[in-house]
Amino acid sequence: MKRIIKMLMVVFLLMLTGCSNNSVSTSKKEVMKTDNGNFEIEVAKGFKAGTDDADLSFYAESKDSYLAVQSEDKADFESWETYYEQRKSNIIESYNDPDMKESSLKDSKGSRFQFPYSEDGVNLELICEIVESDNYYVTKIGTVPKSKKQKEEQRVIQMMESIKEVD
């Protein structure tokens, strides 16, 4: 998991080449087919599907905000608690930020972790959710630049919250 998180951050940082002032408020539902099943997501206007190793990934056309989703079959884990504790431990070990905030999710089993993050001189806000869906355990990781936190944070969170497993 650490490797996936680091890889996703590297991909994001490579994509982070410029900033535009894209004012976006609408979204469209898309069903994305993955090796681990099909997921519906409301993709915010101005976001496009990415092509990295995550099951789902999206980046803002301005290349300043990013969302990656990794799903894993429940059968591969002893229990929800096992998956959750492993992922939570990886996040805490990887980032160990004193400003990390954990909050429970109202419509899902799981938690959201949020904290400032800096790598290679780029200041970001990292948002991570660890959740359980019908057949999968899912880790969602989003990043927004510190300078656009207020504008972009809610759009990334709304996309995260919209992800649902579908037949």
Side-chain angles (χ1 to χ4, degrees), residues 34-119:
T34 74
D35 291 341
N36 283 345
N38 302 324
F39 293 88
E40 179 182 85
I41 181 171
E42 289 185 32
V43 181
K45 184 177 176 187
F47 275 78
K48 292 186 175 190
T51 57
D52 60 25
D53 290 337
D55 290 334
L56 304 173
S57 67
F58 299 89
Y59 64 93
E61 290 172 346
S62 58
K63 298 187 176 165
D64 58 4
S65 298
Y66 182 75
L67 171 62
V69 180
Q70 188 70 39
S71 61
E72 299 182 68
D73 196 301
K74 286 183 175 182
D76 294 338
F77 294 86
E78 190 175 286
S79 66
W80 159 249
E81 289 75 19
T82 301
Y83 176 82
Y84 181 80
E85 289 304 320
Q86 284 181 1
R87 296 307 172 259
K88 180 178 176 179
S89 175
N90 287 341
I91 291 168
I92 291 170
E93 282 180 23
S94 295
Y95 303 106
N96 196 18
D97 192 295
D99 295 326
M100 182 183 293
K101 296 178 225 145
E102 180 180 0
S103 56
S104 58
L105 302 169
K106 60 182 176 186
D107 296 328
S108 304
K109 185 176 188 177
S111 294
R112 177 179 299 137
F113 301 87
Q114 196 165 341
F115 49 94
Y117 177 73
S118 181
E119 186 164 310

Side-chain angles (χ1 to χ4, degrees), residues 100-163:
M100 182 183 293
K101 296 178 225 145
E102 180 180 0
S103 56
S104 58
L105 302 169
K106 60 182 176 186
D107 296 328
S108 304
K109 185 176 188 177
S111 294
R112 177 179 299 137
F113 301 87
Q114 196 165 341
F115 49 94
Y117 177 73
S118 181
E119 186 164 310
D120 296 332
V122 179
N123 296 318
L124 305 165
E125 181 76 8
L126 192 132
I127 307 157
C128 179
E129 288 184 357
I130 304 169
V131 299
E132 179 179 20
S133 70
D134 291 338
N135 298 301
Y136 301 97
Y137 298 131
V138 182
T139 301
K140 310 169 192 177
I141 300 170
T143 57
V144 297
K146 181 179 178 182
S147 65
K148 294 188 177 183
K149 180 183 174 195
Q150 288 193 351
K151 178 183 172 190
E152 292 294 311
E153 174 183 59
Q154 196 54 42
R155 290 178 358 117
V156 170
I157 289 172
Q158 286 173 341
M159 287 176 52
M160 286 178 153
E161 290 176 343
S162 77
I163 297 170

Side-chain angles (χ1 to χ4, degrees), residues 5 7 13 18-19 35 107 135:
I5 292 171
M7 183 231 15
L13 290 170
C19 298
D35 291 341
D107 296 328
N135 298 301

